Amino acid sequence: MRDYYAVLGIGRTASQDEIKQAFRRLAREHHPDVKKDDPQADERFKEINEAYQILSNPEARAQYDRFGTVQPGAMRDSGFGPFEDIFDMFFGRRGRTSPDAPERGSDLRYDLELTLEEAASGVEKTIEVARLETCASCFGTGAERGSVPETCGACRGAGEVRYSQRTVFGSFTQIGPCSTCGGTGKVIRDPCRTCGGSGRAEAARSLSVKVPAGVDTGMRLRLAGEGESGARGGERGDLYVFIHLQPHPVFERRGRDLFTAVPVSIAQAALGDEVEIPTLDGRVTQAVPPGVQPGARLTLRGKGMPDPRGGRGDLHVRLDVRVPTDLSDAERKALLAFAQLRGEQVKPQRKKLSAKVKDLLQ
C-alpha cells in the first residue's frame, strides 16, 4: 500500500485543514480534464482521492497510522468526504458558510503505554499533549496588538471568487476560495508575532486520563474537547488516547484470559503436590494431582483480566515438567532402581554425548 502522506505531500502530523488544502491543490493540478494528454492522469487522480478518503477520516487515519492499512468498515463515518470536495471544485460550491464562521479544531491522537497490572486494576495517568491553542497575544484575531484584520479587496470580504472552467460536461461557472485571503475574507497587514497571523499557537498541556480496568491494546479513550482549539472561536476537537500494553515477563494475555507456565519436578508430577502459582492478585497455592503429564493445564477461574463490560477472565496454567540434567550418583541409582521396579530395561548413557546425538536433541 502506498504511503498516503507521501501521496498528498504532507507530514504525518498534518492537521485536517492541511490535509484538505493539499487534496484540493493536487486534485486541481492532476484532474484528468486538466491533464488530457497525460495517460497516467486517471490513476494519479484516483490515488490522490483514495489518500484523502483515508486521512480525512479520523478513525480510518488512526487505523492506517497504526497498521499501515485500513479494514473494511473504517470509513463508515466519513460521509461523502472527498466527493463533495470534487463536486465543489469542478461544478461550483454550494451553501458556503460565512468566511468568518467558527471552525472546529482538529482531533488529536495520543499513544499511552500501560503495564498489564495497570490495565488490570485501572489507573489514572497524567499525559502531556502539544496542541494548538487560541493565541494569547492576539486573542485569535491573528493581528498584532493595536491593529485589526482588514476586509480583503480582491473578494470584498466574501472569501470566494467566481471563475469559469471548461470540463467534459461543458463550461461551468465555479466559485472557489479567494487566493488573496485564503478564503477568510480578511487580510492581515500586521500579523501577530506570536502566532504568525494564524490566530493559534502550539502549547503543551498536562491532562489527566482515567483508564478503566480491563483495557487492552487497540482500545481508545475519547477525551471530548481536549483536541486543538478551533479557528475563529470554533469548538475544540477531541483527544483520542490509544492504549498499548507492554509485554509481561510472566503472563500472556488473550482477550480477558491470561496464560502462564509453572515448573514441576518429575517427583511432583508423579506423586502429586501443591505448587505456588503467580496471579495478578499475588501467589496462590494449587494442588497438582498425581500422575500429571507434561503440558497439562490447570484453570483458575476468575483470575484473569477484568472485562470492561463486566466479569473477569480465567488464568490458564501449563505445568512444565522439568527433567533434571545434573543427577548425582545416588539419584541415578535411585532412578535405576525405580525403573527395575517397573520392569523397564534402561541403558544409562554417558554424561558426555556425541555431537551427533546432541544435534538430534535440539
Side-chain angles (χ1 to χ4, degrees), residues 15-332:
S15 66
Q16 287 296 318
D17 286 342
E18 291 171 331
I19 292 172
K20 193 168 188 176
Q21 290 172 8
F23 166 73
R24 287 176 175 274
R25 174 177 54 80
L26 291 172
R28 288 193 184 96
E29 180 181 345
H30 294 280
H31 192 274
D33 291 336
V34 177
K35 292 200 168 186
K36 297 180 179 179
D37 299 329
D38 186 356
Q40 303 297 323
D42 283 335
E43 289 302 318
R44 175 63 175 157
F45 188 74
K46 289 179 182 178
E47 186 177 55
I48 293 168
N49 185 35
E50 180 182 344
Y52 180 69
Q53 289 187 57
I54 300 300
L55 299 184
S56 64
N57 180 280
E59 182 176 349
R61 181 183 182 183
Q63 192 176 113
Y64 172 73
D65 287 344
R66 185 171 176 214
F67 300 107
T69 186
V70 177
Q71 298 297 324
M75 298 298 296
R76 60 182 179 273
D77 297 326
S78 62
F80 293 100
F83 301 106
E84 290 181 337
D85 289 331
I86 293 173
F87 192 98
D88 291 346
M89 190 183 307
F90 294 99
F91 299 99
R93 306 182 70 186
R94 311 177 305 283
R96 187 180 188 278
T97 59
S98 168
D100 292 326
E103 182 178 328
R104 184 181 183 275
S106 298
D107 294 335
L108 295 178
R109 170 180 177 145
Y110 186 93
D111 293 281
L112 179 62
E113 284 198 352
L114 299 175
T115 65
L116 186 66
E117 288 80 4
E118 289 174 329
S121 62
V123 68
E124 186 168 350
K125 288 279 191 177
T126 299
I127 63 175
E128 188 170 277
V129 178
R131 65 188 187 188
L132 289 177
E133 300 275 4
T134 299
C135 179
S137 297
C138 66
F139 304 105
T141 66
E144 188 66 23
R145 291 188 181 182
S147 66
V148 293
E150 302 174 5
T151 300
C152 175
C155 65
R156 299 185 180 183
E160 57 187 20
V161 292
R162 294 175 177 269
Y163 59 96
S164 297
Q165 182 171 339
R166 297 185 63 186
T167 74
V168 291
F169 301 100
S171 297
F172 294 90
T173 299
Q174 302 172 47
I175 302 174
C178 175
S179 60
T180 301
C181 64
T184 64
K186 301 288 185 181
V187 176
I188 300 174
R189 304 296 183 188
D190 188 12
C192 171
R193 288 190 289 269
T194 301
C195 65
S198 67
R200 295 181 293 175
E202 188 171 282
R205 290 290 182 267
S206 293
L207 301 172
S208 179
V209 181
K210 292 184 179 180
V211 181
V215 295
D216 200 356
T217 294
M219 292 183 178
R220 69 178 187 178
L221 307 174
R222 174 175 172 262
L223 276 64
E226 293 295 353
E228 292 191 335
S229 175
R232 299 178 293 280
E235 67 174 320
R236 283 187 174 279
D238 299 330
L239 172 65
Y240 291 91
V241 179
F242 284 76
I243 302 298
H244 302 275
L245 295 194
Q246 300 170 356
H248 197 276
V250 176
F251 302 110
E252 177 188 350
R253 179 176 184 177
R254 301 177 195 170
R256 66 178 197 170
D257 288 346
L258 294 176
F259 294 79
T260 190
V262 172
V264 176
S265 70
I266 289 180
Q268 288 175 308
L271 302 174
D273 196 4
E274 290 185 346
V275 296
E276 282 195 344
I277 297 177
T279 74
L280 289 173
D281 304 314
R283 304 184 76 83
V284 298
T285 301
Q286 179 70 28
V288 175
V292 71
Q293 299 300 304
R297 294 181 182 271
L298 302 176
T299 299
L300 277 63
R301 301 295 181 189
K303 290 296 184 180
M305 292 291 291
D307 191 322
R309 297 165 294 186
R312 187 164 181 169
D314 302 327
L315 173 61
H316 302 275
V317 183
R318 178 173 57 83
L319 298 178
D320 186 8
V321 179
R322 301 287 179 87
V323 177
T325 58
D326 54 350
L327 293 174
S328 66
D329 290 339
E331 290 169 335
R332 289 170 60 85

